[in-house]
Every structure is written in structure tokens, then in C-alpha cells.
Amino acid sequence: SAWSFAAGASLALIAAFMSAIEFVIPSVIVTSLVALMLLGLLASRGGDSPAPRSIARILIWGALAMFVSAIAGALFGAVG
């Protein structure tokens, strides 16, 4: 679990380091959503389930979690 979290976080960090300062947040969001889509595809292959359904489920819940985290960060002053 820790290794998979670190691997996913490394993708977002790479996107942040490779982006111009004004595009850091959008590039991290897009990179994270694409990674979630790929994980949904991988999960569908491993679980022998329909790919669109698996991708949508992981993408929607992952995007919701990112949104809630962003709102919490804004409420507590963690982001500008």
C-alpha cells in the first residue's frame, strides 16, 4: 500500500517539477486523473470486469477525493 501510494505520488511530483509555475496545479490534476484512469483499466483487467465501469468508478471517486482535499486545504489555509 505504501509503495503504491509513493508510486502514484511520484507521478504528480514529476508533473509538478516539469511544469511552468503557472501550470503546476492543472498539470498535477490532469496527470493524477490520467493515472487514475490507467489504474481503473488495470483493475478491470485484473478483476475481469468491464473496463469503462472500472475506469469511471476509480476516476469519479478519485476526483471526488481530490476535490474534497482541495476544499479542506482552502478552508484551513493550506493553499493560497
Side-chain angles (χ1 to χ4, degrees), residues 5-60:
F5 183 81
S10 69
L11 294 174
L13 285 173
I14 291 168
F17 286 130
M18 294 179 61
S19 299
I21 192 71
E22 62 270 9
F23 298 114
V24 169
I25 292 175
S27 67
V28 168
I29 291 170
V30 169
T31 301
S32 299
L33 293 176
V34 169
L36 286 171
M37 291 173 68
L38 292 173
L39 288 172
L41 180 62
L42 183 65
S44 73
R45 301 286 186 237
D48 197 30
S49 63
R53 189 178 211 182
S54 295
I55 292 169
R57 180 175 37 249
I58 291 177
L59 183 63
I60 289 168

